[in-house]
Amino acid sequence: MPNNQFKKGELYSFITGKASTAIARNLQKKFNTAGLKITIEQWSVLYHLWKEDGKSQQELCNATFRDKPSITRLVDNLEKLQLVKRVPSGNDRRINLIYLTKQAQKLQEETMGLAEATLNEALEGVPQDRIEICKEVLQVVYDNLR
Amino acid sequence: MPNNQFKKGELYSFITGKASTAIARNLQKKFNTAGLKITIEQWSVLYHLWKEDGKSQQELCNATFRDKPSITRLVDNLEKLQLVKRVPSGNDRRINLIYLTKQAQKLQEETMGLAEATLNEALEGVPQDRIEICKEVLQVVYDNLR
DNA sequence: GGCATATAGTTAGTTAAACAACTAAATGAA
DNA sequence: TTCATTTAGTTGTTTAACTAACTATATGCC
């Protein structure tokens, strides 16, 4: 018995993720306006390296929910921008460990401030308890499909 | 006074839209498995044409939250697949009206069933009232940033 | 009518995602 | 030790998004 909670007219936004698209575009514009020449996707990789760098590309795949070719090319472009460096692992010669450069470390504070500003705009007028419920529902969706 | 509702550790999923990415991938896999050779993005255009075709490309931009070059190329590819046809508007020679072919009309029922199945999997175990709140929050986010 | 402006759509260039096919290195079982 | 399997990462191809620059047509003001 399917839980037929969705009427057809309601399918669209959930599938296409208009809200997260709007958030990403807003943040990308803030980056551009601030003269920060990085993409949202590059930022999402840096985000996990700021928590702790020296991660392998595979670990970045898991953290960012991207496949291996996507991470290969994102790391390629981040290396071109001199924001990260690939360092071969001593233990396992298949593995690259990805380290932040000094320039990337400088980006953290500024971009995090812009990201918080975007979320504050996005969620203006939404009570905290409803935000919590929304986050929890999205987490279940992710866990159900992963 | 900003409503500083997000702590740093909670930024990531909201911005990157992992839940909607998971939904879109799941549905794309269902299309592939069923032998339906369309992308989610193409489906999102067809979705609005199934409601009513003969829309202009600009109307499709607004409906799908995409810019004009994206719609130009999606319509290009849908035309190559013989799923839509561009028809010049009689009133305004700048405008193309986009009409579904018979083949596209046949796709509607099957793809809508798969989309509902994806959403039922995604939302399994989530009570209806929490789904409603989540949808409303995402709508506010979209309205706030659009 | 004539001209500035706005609107509809296209084209070009860069970045990214999905998939398949590939190389190199590590693992594990006989 | 050897050989199949697994894991880490790369490369090639197609589709799509974003920006900027462009063409063609319509609108509105004088």
Side-chain angles (χ1 to χ4, degrees), chain A residues 4 6-8 10-12 14-15 145, chain B residues 23 26-28 30-31 36 40 43 47 50 107-123:
Chain A
N4 206 348
F6 265 78
K7 296 155 204 89
K8 286 193 174 143
E10 304 173 338
L11 283 171
Y12 185 79
F14 244 96
I15 292 175
L145 297 183
Chain B
I23 289 173
N26 180 287
L27 180 54
Q28 181 70 64
K30 284 186 166 53
F31 286 172
L36 302 174
I40 296 299
W43 177 85
Y47 179 94
W50 285 321
L107 278 179
Q108 178 173 10
E109 202 177 329
E110 190 169 8
T111 59
M112 285 298 191
L114 296 175
E116 283 187 70
T118 286
L119 285 173
N120 286 336
E121 282 175 50
L123 293 164

mmCIF file of all heavy atoms in Angstrom, chain A residues 4 6-8 10-12 14-15 145, chain B residues 23 26-28 30-31 36 40 43 47 50 107-123:
data_model
loop_
_atom_site.group_PDB
_atom_site.id
_atom_site.type_symbol
_atom_site.label_atom_id
_atom_site.label_comp_id
_atom_site.label_asym_id
_atom_site.label_seq_id
_atom_site.Cartn_x
_atom_site.Cartn_y
_atom_site.Cartn_z
ATOM 1 N N ASN A 4 0.272 7.392 -0.556
ATOM 2 C CA ASN A 4 0.090 8.225 -1.738
ATOM 3 C C ASN A 4 -0.094 9.678 -1.344
ATOM 4 O O ASN A 4 -1.127 10.289 -1.566
ATOM 5 C CB ASN A 4 -1.116 7.700 -2.511
ATOM 6 C CG ASN A 4 -0.990 8.048 -3.985
ATOM 7 O OD1 ASN A 4 -0.127 8.856 -4.353
ATOM 8 N ND2 ASN A 4 -1.838 7.482 -4.797
ATOM 9 N N PHE A 6 1.423 12.368 -2.347
ATOM 10 C CA PHE A 6 1.638 13.428 -3.313
ATOM 11 C C PHE A 6 0.585 13.403 -4.397
ATOM 12 O O PHE A 6 0.427 12.417 -5.093
ATOM 13 C CB PHE A 6 3.015 13.298 -3.947
ATOM 14 C CG PHE A 6 4.009 14.144 -3.238
ATOM 15 C CD1 PHE A 6 4.544 13.732 -2.048
ATOM 16 C CD2 PHE A 6 4.324 15.393 -3.725
ATOM 17 C CE1 PHE A 6 5.438 14.530 -1.370
ATOM 18 C CE2 PHE A 6 5.210 16.203 -3.051
ATOM 19 C CZ PHE A 6 5.771 15.778 -1.867
ATOM 20 N N LYS A 7 -0.124 14.487 -4.496
ATOM 21 C CA LYS A 7 -0.965 14.637 -5.675
ATOM 22 C C LYS A 7 -0.072 15.134 -6.796
ATOM 23 O O LYS A 7 0.988 15.700 -6.575
ATOM 24 C CB LYS A 7 -2.083 15.625 -5.376
ATOM 25 C CG LYS A 7 -3.010 15.098 -4.298
ATOM 26 C CD LYS A 7 -3.699 16.258 -3.581
ATOM 27 C CE LYS A 7 -4.136 15.838 -2.206
ATOM 28 N NZ LYS A 7 -3.069 16.055 -1.185
ATOM 29 N N LYS A 8 -0.519 14.931 -8.014
ATOM 30 C CA LYS A 8 0.364 15.227 -9.143
ATOM 31 C C LYS A 8 0.851 16.664 -9.161
ATOM 32 O O LYS A 8 1.991 16.932 -9.464
ATOM 33 C CB LYS A 8 -0.345 14.881 -10.444
ATOM 34 C CG LYS A 8 -0.392 13.372 -10.618
ATOM 35 C CD LYS A 8 -0.792 12.963 -12.006
ATOM 36 C CE LYS A 8 -0.668 11.447 -12.131
ATOM 37 N NZ LYS A 8 -1.706 10.841 -12.935
ATOM 38 N N GLU A 10 1.798 18.467 -7.046
ATOM 39 C CA GLU A 10 2.779 18.789 -6.019
ATOM 40 C C GLU A 10 4.129 18.114 -6.247
ATOM 41 O O GLU A 10 5.063 18.314 -5.507
ATOM 42 C CB GLU A 10 2.225 18.360 -4.646
ATOM 43 C CG GLU A 10 0.877 18.996 -4.341
ATOM 44 C CD GLU A 10 0.249 18.433 -3.073
ATOM 45 O OE1 GLU A 10 0.621 17.319 -2.669
ATOM 46 O OE2 GLU A 10 -0.617 19.101 -2.514
ATOM 47 N N LEU A 11 4.197 17.302 -7.276
ATOM 48 C CA LEU A 11 5.426 16.564 -7.553
ATOM 49 C C LEU A 11 6.592 17.478 -7.847
ATOM 50 O O LEU A 11 7.720 17.236 -7.427
ATOM 51 C CB LEU A 11 5.251 15.700 -8.813
ATOM 52 C CG LEU A 11 4.471 14.413 -8.768
ATOM 53 C CD1 LEU A 11 4.290 13.910 -10.176
ATOM 54 C CD2 LEU A 11 5.208 13.411 -7.924
ATOM 55 N N TYR A 12 6.327 18.490 -8.614
ATOM 56 C CA TYR A 12 7.378 19.147 -9.370
ATOM 57 C C TYR A 12 8.499 19.748 -8.525
ATOM 58 O O TYR A 12 9.677 19.452 -8.745
ATOM 59 C CB TYR A 12 6.767 20.220 -10.273
ATOM 60 C CG TYR A 12 7.791 20.832 -11.159
ATOM 61 C CD1 TYR A 12 8.216 20.185 -12.304
ATOM 62 C CD2 TYR A 12 8.374 22.036 -10.820
ATOM 63 C CE1 TYR A 12 9.188 20.727 -13.105
ATOM 64 C CE2 TYR A 12 9.355 22.587 -11.622
ATOM 65 C CZ TYR A 12 9.754 21.927 -12.762
ATOM 66 O OH TYR A 12 10.736 22.457 -13.546
ATOM 67 N N PHE A 14 9.460 19.318 -5.501
ATOM 68 C CA PHE A 14 10.268 18.375 -4.725
ATOM 69 C C PHE A 14 11.324 17.720 -5.600
ATOM 70 O O PHE A 14 12.479 17.559 -5.203
ATOM 71 C CB PHE A 14 9.371 17.300 -4.092
ATOM 72 C CG PHE A 14 9.381 17.335 -2.597
ATOM 73 C CD1 PHE A 14 8.398 18.012 -1.904
ATOM 74 C CD2 PHE A 14 10.387 16.711 -1.881
ATOM 75 C CE1 PHE A 14 8.418 18.059 -0.517
ATOM 76 C CE2 PHE A 14 10.425 16.751 -0.498
ATOM 77 C CZ PHE A 14 9.428 17.424 0.190
ATOM 78 N N ILE A 15 10.929 17.353 -6.797
ATOM 79 C CA ILE A 15 11.862 16.636 -7.670
ATOM 80 C C ILE A 15 12.930 17.569 -8.224
ATOM 81 O O ILE A 15 14.101 17.208 -8.322
ATOM 82 C CB ILE A 15 11.092 15.947 -8.821
ATOM 83 C CG1 ILE A 15 10.253 14.818 -8.233
ATOM 84 C CG2 ILE A 15 12.048 15.442 -9.895
ATOM 85 C CD1 ILE A 15 9.356 14.145 -9.221
ATOM 86 N N LEU A 145 16.877 7.267 0.117
ATOM 87 C CA LEU A 145 17.240 7.054 -1.295
ATOM 88 C C LEU A 145 18.713 6.761 -1.513
ATOM 89 O O LEU A 145 19.103 6.293 -2.576
ATOM 90 C CB LEU A 145 16.862 8.288 -2.126
ATOM 91 C CG LEU A 145 15.377 8.618 -2.186
ATOM 92 C CD1 LEU A 145 15.155 9.806 -3.087
ATOM 93 C CD2 LEU A 145 14.558 7.424 -2.664
ATOM 94 N N ILE B 23 16.738 12.580 -5.007
ATOM 95 C CA ILE B 23 15.460 12.325 -5.683
ATOM 96 C C ILE B 23 15.655 12.293 -7.194
ATOM 97 O O ILE B 23 15.198 11.377 -7.883
ATOM 98 C CB ILE B 23 14.425 13.406 -5.289
ATOM 99 C CG1 ILE B 23 13.992 13.218 -3.831
ATOM 100 C CG2 ILE B 23 13.216 13.361 -6.215
ATOM 101 C CD1 ILE B 23 13.091 14.337 -3.310
ATOM 102 N N ASN B 26 17.486 9.173 -8.356
ATOM 103 C CA ASN B 26 16.638 7.989 -8.249
ATOM 104 C C ASN B 26 15.653 7.931 -9.422
ATOM 105 O O ASN B 26 15.477 6.879 -10.050
ATOM 106 C CB ASN B 26 15.895 8.032 -6.907
ATOM 107 C CG ASN B 26 14.981 6.841 -6.697
ATOM 108 O OD1 ASN B 26 13.936 6.747 -7.324
ATOM 109 N ND2 ASN B 26 15.366 5.927 -5.821
ATOM 110 N N LEU B 27 15.054 9.064 -9.735
ATOM 111 C CA LEU B 27 14.077 9.086 -10.833
ATOM 112 C C LEU B 27 14.768 8.860 -12.177
ATOM 113 O O LEU B 27 14.257 8.131 -13.035
ATOM 114 C CB LEU B 27 13.306 10.409 -10.823
ATOM 115 C CG LEU B 27 12.244 10.567 -11.908
ATOM 116 C CD1 LEU B 27 11.248 9.413 -11.913
ATOM 117 C CD2 LEU B 27 11.506 11.899 -11.738
ATOM 118 N N GLN B 28 15.956 9.452 -12.345
ATOM 119 C CA GLN B 28 16.686 9.244 -13.602
ATOM 120 C C GLN B 28 16.991 7.759 -13.802
ATOM 121 O O GLN B 28 16.861 7.230 -14.904
ATOM 122 C CB GLN B 28 17.983 10.053 -13.601
ATOM 123 C CG GLN B 28 18.788 9.922 -14.876
ATOM 124 C CD GLN B 28 18.107 10.624 -16.056
ATOM 125 O OE1 GLN B 28 17.949 11.830 -16.046
ATOM 126 N NE2 GLN B 28 17.695 9.860 -17.060
ATOM 127 N N LYS B 30 15.243 5.282 -12.649
ATOM 128 C CA LYS B 30 13.995 4.630 -13.033
ATOM 129 C C LYS B 30 13.711 4.839 -14.519
ATOM 130 O O LYS B 30 13.268 3.915 -15.208
ATOM 131 C CB LYS B 30 12.832 5.166 -12.185
ATOM 132 C CG LYS B 30 12.775 4.637 -10.765
ATOM 133 C CD LYS B 30 11.491 5.126 -10.078
ATOM 134 C CE LYS B 30 11.201 4.365 -8.785
ATOM 135 N NZ LYS B 30 12.322 4.339 -7.830
ATOM 136 N N PHE B 31 13.949 6.037 -15.011
ATOM 137 C CA PHE B 31 13.769 6.281 -16.457
ATOM 138 C C PHE B 31 14.696 5.362 -17.255
ATOM 139 O O PHE B 31 14.274 4.721 -18.214
ATOM 140 C CB PHE B 31 14.100 7.739 -16.808
ATOM 141 C CG PHE B 31 13.066 8.747 -16.387
ATOM 142 C CD1 PHE B 31 13.329 10.121 -16.489
ATOM 143 C CD2 PHE B 31 11.827 8.364 -15.895
ATOM 144 C CE1 PHE B 31 12.396 11.060 -16.105
ATOM 145 C CE2 PHE B 31 10.883 9.297 -15.504
ATOM 146 C CZ PHE B 31 11.172 10.653 -15.608
ATOM 147 N N LEU B 36 13.426 4.542 -20.928
ATOM 148 C CA LEU B 36 12.967 5.868 -21.371
ATOM 149 C C LEU B 36 14.184 6.766 -21.547
ATOM 150 O O LEU B 36 14.887 7.064 -20.583
ATOM 151 C CB LEU B 36 12.016 6.471 -20.326
ATOM 152 C CG LEU B 36 10.791 5.627 -20.007
ATOM 153 C CD1 LEU B 36 9.997 6.248 -18.869
ATOM 154 C CD2 LEU B 36 9.920 5.485 -21.245
ATOM 155 N N ILE B 40 16.096 14.059 -16.651
ATOM 156 C CA ILE B 40 15.204 14.716 -15.701
ATOM 157 C C ILE B 40 14.887 16.138 -16.153
ATOM 158 O O ILE B 40 13.765 16.614 -16.007
ATOM 159 C CB ILE B 40 15.864 14.747 -14.304
ATOM 160 C CG1 ILE B 40 16.063 13.327 -13.782
ATOM 161 C CG2 ILE B 40 15.059 15.577 -13.324
ATOM 162 C CD1 ILE B 40 14.786 12.565 -13.622
ATOM 163 N N TRP B 43 12.403 16.018 -18.843
ATOM 164 C CA TRP B 43 11.129 15.659 -18.236
ATOM 165 C C TRP B 43 10.486 16.884 -17.576
ATOM 166 O O TRP B 43 9.279 17.074 -17.649
ATOM 167 C CB TRP B 43 11.340 14.542 -17.194
ATOM 168 C CG TRP B 43 10.107 14.151 -16.448
ATOM 169 C CD1 TRP B 43 9.155 13.252 -16.842
ATOM 170 C CD2 TRP B 43 9.688 14.643 -15.165
ATOM 171 N NE1 TRP B 43 8.173 13.158 -15.894
ATOM 172 C CE2 TRP B 43 8.473 14.002 -14.848
ATOM 173 C CE3 TRP B 43 10.209 15.560 -14.257
ATOM 174 C CZ2 TRP B 43 7.777 14.240 -13.672
ATOM 175 C CZ3 TRP B 43 9.532 15.812 -13.083
ATOM 176 C CH2 TRP B 43 8.326 15.159 -12.799
ATOM 177 N N TYR B 47 6.859 18.155 -18.345
ATOM 178 C CA TYR B 47 5.891 18.234 -17.245
ATOM 179 C C TYR B 47 4.975 19.443 -17.418
ATOM 180 O O TYR B 47 3.751 19.350 -17.273
ATOM 181 C CB TYR B 47 6.665 18.322 -15.929
ATOM 182 C CG TYR B 47 5.830 18.441 -14.684
ATOM 183 C CD1 TYR B 47 5.474 17.309 -13.967
ATOM 184 C CD2 TYR B 47 5.409 19.686 -14.214
ATOM 185 C CE1 TYR B 47 4.720 17.408 -12.812
ATOM 186 C CE2 TYR B 47 4.638 19.789 -13.058
ATOM 187 C CZ TYR B 47 4.305 18.656 -12.366
ATOM 188 O OH TYR B 47 3.547 18.765 -11.225
ATOM 189 N N TRP B 50 2.729 19.078 -20.527
ATOM 190 C CA TRP B 50 1.596 18.173 -20.335
ATOM 191 C C TRP B 50 0.424 18.902 -19.682
ATOM 192 O O TRP B 50 -0.722 18.598 -19.950
ATOM 193 C CB TRP B 50 2.019 16.959 -19.482
ATOM 194 C CG TRP B 50 2.852 15.972 -20.237
ATOM 195 C CD1 TRP B 50 2.687 15.587 -21.547
ATOM 196 C CD2 TRP B 50 3.977 15.231 -19.750
ATOM 197 N NE1 TRP B 50 3.645 14.678 -21.897
ATOM 198 C CE2 TRP B 50 4.444 14.426 -20.813
ATOM 199 C CE3 TRP B 50 4.633 15.153 -18.530
ATOM 200 C CZ2 TRP B 50 5.531 13.568 -20.685
ATOM 201 C CZ3 TRP B 50 5.716 14.308 -18.409
ATOM 202 C CH2 TRP B 50 6.155 13.528 -19.468
ATOM 203 N N LEU B 107 4.355 9.500 -23.242
ATOM 204 C CA LEU B 107 5.290 9.395 -22.118
ATOM 205 C C LEU B 107 4.677 9.815 -20.787
ATOM 206 O O LEU B 107 5.173 9.440 -19.721
ATOM 207 C CB LEU B 107 6.515 10.274 -22.359
ATOM 208 C CG LEU B 107 7.628 9.747 -23.232
ATOM 209 C CD1 LEU B 107 8.719 10.798 -23.352
ATOM 210 C CD2 LEU B 107 8.200 8.468 -22.627
ATOM 211 N N GLN B 108 3.636 10.611 -20.827
ATOM 212 C CA GLN B 108 3.163 11.244 -19.605
ATOM 213 C C GLN B 108 2.805 10.248 -18.513
ATOM 214 O O GLN B 108 3.315 10.327 -17.400
ATOM 215 C CB GLN B 108 1.934 12.129 -19.905
ATOM 216 C CG GLN B 108 1.371 12.770 -18.647
ATOM 217 C CD GLN B 108 0.278 13.784 -18.935
ATOM 218 O OE1 GLN B 108 -0.205 13.892 -20.059
ATOM 219 N NE2 GLN B 108 -0.114 14.537 -17.924
ATOM 220 N N GLU B 109 1.962 9.305 -18.854
ATOM 221 C CA GLU B 109 1.451 8.409 -17.814
ATOM 222 C C GLU B 109 2.574 7.595 -17.164
ATOM 223 O O GLU B 109 2.681 7.523 -15.948
ATOM 224 C CB GLU B 109 0.403 7.470 -18.420
ATOM 225 C CG GLU B 109 -0.537 6.886 -17.372
ATOM 226 C CD GLU B 109 -1.603 6.016 -18.034
ATOM 227 O OE1 GLU B 109 -1.987 6.302 -19.190
ATOM 228 O OE2 GLU B 109 -2.033 5.046 -17.391
ATOM 229 N N GLU B 110 3.454 7.055 -18.020
ATOM 230 C CA GLU B 110 4.519 6.197 -17.500
ATOM 231 C C GLU B 110 5.482 6.981 -16.600
ATOM 232 O O GLU B 110 5.837 6.542 -15.504
ATOM 233 C CB GLU B 110 5.286 5.560 -18.660
ATOM 234 C CG GLU B 110 6.244 4.477 -18.215
ATOM 235 C CD GLU B 110 6.788 3.676 -19.397
ATOM 236 O OE1 GLU B 110 6.526 4.065 -20.553
ATOM 237 O OE2 GLU B 110 7.466 2.660 -19.149
ATOM 238 N N THR B 111 5.891 8.155 -17.058
ATOM 239 C CA THR B 111 6.874 8.898 -16.267
ATOM 240 C C THR B 111 6.258 9.440 -14.986
ATOM 241 O O THR B 111 6.921 9.483 -13.946
ATOM 242 C CB THR B 111 7.476 10.064 -17.073
ATOM 243 O OG1 THR B 111 6.442 10.944 -17.494
ATOM 244 C CG2 THR B 111 8.250 9.550 -18.268
ATOM 245 N N MET B 112 5.007 9.826 -15.042
ATOM 246 C CA MET B 112 4.366 10.316 -13.817
ATOM 247 C C MET B 112 4.265 9.211 -12.775
ATOM 248 O O MET B 112 4.456 9.444 -11.582
ATOM 249 C CB MET B 112 2.963 10.855 -14.137
ATOM 250 C CG MET B 112 2.987 12.203 -14.831
ATOM 251 S SD MET B 112 3.739 13.496 -13.805
ATOM 252 C CE MET B 112 3.289 14.931 -14.762
ATOM 253 N N GLY B 113 3.992 7.999 -13.236
ATOM 254 C CA GLY B 113 3.962 6.876 -12.307
ATOM 255 C C GLY B 113 5.313 6.659 -11.649
ATOM 256 O O GLY B 113 5.402 6.430 -10.434
ATOM 257 N N LEU B 114 6.382 6.750 -12.429
ATOM 258 C CA LEU B 114 7.717 6.576 -11.866
ATOM 259 C C LEU B 114 8.058 7.700 -10.892
ATOM 260 O O LEU B 114 8.673 7.464 -9.847
ATOM 261 C CB LEU B 114 8.755 6.512 -13.000
ATOM 262 C CG LEU B 114 8.618 5.312 -13.948
ATOM 263 C CD1 LEU B 114 9.613 5.418 -15.097
ATOM 264 C CD2 LEU B 114 8.802 3.997 -13.199
ATOM 265 N N ALA B 115 7.634 8.918 -11.235
ATOM 266 C CA ALA B 115 7.909 10.057 -10.346
ATOM 267 C C ALA B 115 7.193 9.872 -9.010
ATOM 268 O O ALA B 115 7.765 10.128 -7.935
ATOM 269 C CB ALA B 115 7.486 11.366 -11.007
ATOM 270 N N GLU B 116 5.949 9.407 -9.074
ATOM 271 C CA GLU B 116 5.237 9.158 -7.815
ATOM 272 C C GLU B 116 5.904 8.060 -7.011
ATOM 273 O O GLU B 116 6.006 8.146 -5.785
ATOM 274 C CB GLU B 116 3.777 8.795 -8.104
ATOM 275 C CG GLU B 116 2.942 10.008 -8.453
ATOM 276 C CD GLU B 116 1.463 9.657 -8.565
ATOM 277 O OE1 GLU B 116 0.857 9.361 -7.522
ATOM 278 O OE2 GLU B 116 0.940 9.654 -9.704
ATOM 279 N N ALA B 117 6.392 7.044 -7.695
ATOM 280 C CA ALA B 117 7.077 5.953 -6.992
ATOM 281 C C ALA B 117 8.326 6.473 -6.289
ATOM 282 O O ALA B 117 8.607 6.123 -5.134
ATOM 283 C CB ALA B 117 7.448 4.841 -7.978
ATOM 284 N N THR B 118 9.086 7.305 -6.977
ATOM 285 C CA THR B 118 10.286 7.882 -6.362
ATOM 286 C C THR B 118 9.917 8.669 -5.111
ATOM 287 O O THR B 118 10.561 8.539 -4.062
ATOM 288 C CB THR B 118 11.024 8.791 -7.368
ATOM 289 O OG1 THR B 118 11.676 7.972 -8.330
ATOM 290 C CG2 THR B 118 12.072 9.655 -6.677
ATOM 291 N N LEU B 119 8.880 9.470 -5.200
ATOM 292 C CA LEU B 119 8.512 10.285 -4.042
ATOM 293 C C LEU B 119 7.986 9.427 -2.901
ATOM 294 O O LEU B 119 8.229 9.717 -1.732
ATOM 295 C CB LEU B 119 7.492 11.343 -4.443
ATOM 296 C CG LEU B 119 8.128 12.489 -5.235
ATOM 297 C CD1 LEU B 119 7.062 13.424 -5.761
ATOM 298 C CD2 LEU B 119 9.117 13.257 -4.370
ATOM 299 N N ASN B 120 7.286 8.351 -3.246
ATOM 300 C CA ASN B 120 6.823 7.472 -2.175
ATOM 301 C C ASN B 120 7.993 6.804 -1.462
ATOM 302 O O ASN B 120 8.002 6.696 -0.237
ATOM 303 C CB ASN B 120 5.860 6.426 -2.735
ATOM 304 C CG ASN B 120 4.499 7.030 -3.058
ATOM 305 O OD1 ASN B 120 4.119 8.053 -2.494
ATOM 306 N ND2 ASN B 120 3.783 6.408 -3.977
ATOM 307 N N GLU B 121 9.000 6.382 -2.222
ATOM 308 C CA GLU B 121 10.214 5.849 -1.585
ATOM 309 C C GLU B 121 10.898 6.910 -0.735
ATOM 310 O O GLU B 121 11.332 6.656 0.389
ATOM 311 C CB GLU B 121 11.225 5.399 -2.650
ATOM 312 C CG GLU B 121 10.933 4.079 -3.296
ATOM 313 C CD GLU B 121 11.941 3.799 -4.421
ATOM 314 O OE1 GLU B 121 13.160 3.911 -4.187
ATOM 315 O OE2 GLU B 121 11.485 3.500 -5.542
ATOM 316 N N ALA B 122 11.001 8.109 -1.303
ATOM 317 C CA ALA B 122 11.739 9.176 -0.631
ATOM 318 C C ALA B 122 11.086 9.534 0.701
ATOM 319 O O ALA B 122 11.780 9.799 1.693
ATOM 320 C CB ALA B 122 11.795 10.412 -1.527
ATOM 321 N N LEU B 123 9.772 9.528 0.722
ATOM 322 C CA LEU B 123 9.042 10.036 1.889
ATOM 323 C C LEU B 123 8.512 8.930 2.776
ATOM 324 O O LEU B 123 7.705 9.180 3.671
ATOM 325 C CB LEU B 123 7.904 10.940 1.420
ATOM 326 C CG LEU B 123 8.400 12.227 0.755
ATOM 327 C CD1 LEU B 123 7.292 12.901 -0.028
ATOM 328 C CD2 LEU B 123 8.964 13.180 1.811
#
